Amino acid sequence: MTNKGDLRAAMLKSGGQTAAPKPAQESRSGRAGKSNVTGYFDPEVKRQLRIMAAEHDCTIQDLVGEALNELFAKHGRPEIAPARAGTSA
């Protein structure tokens, strides 16, 4: 274990310089400007979503976007959730 004297000597020897801090990691480009929307459901809900996503060759996010757009339309709101490419909005 290094004591304070050894650390001080090492810092003086290196001229007091430390490594430059790493730049902030870039966020995933697809998530830039987006916000997370979450909920807690029974595990069977997630399982069923995963099965449906596989059957329709899409992601759970695609299915949730579709469901949100249907909810928005039902309540007279603009369908603003991103639609999966190749589907009608």
Side-chain angles (χ1 to χ4, degrees), residues 9-86:
M11 290 296 293
L12 290 172
K13 183 177 179 182
S14 70
Q17 297 176 355
T18 59
K22 292 182 180 179
Q25 189 175 19
E26 294 290 322
S27 65
R28 292 185 182 183
S29 61
R31 294 182 182 179
K34 304 277 194 271
S35 183
N36 184 24
V37 178
T38 61
Y40 289 90
F41 302 95
D42 290 332
E44 186 60 26
V45 173
K46 183 175 181 180
R47 182 177 183 276
Q48 188 161 294
L49 282 169
R50 288 168 55 197
I51 290 169
M52 289 176 64
E55 290 172 346
H56 296 280
D57 192 28
C58 65
T59 65
I60 290 175
Q61 183 166 329
D62 293 331
L63 295 174
V64 171
E66 179 182 341
L68 287 172
N69 279 334
E70 289 185 18
L71 179 67
F72 295 152
K74 176 182 172 183
H75 292 278
R77 302 289 181 148
E79 297 177 32
I80 58 173
R84 179 168 73 121

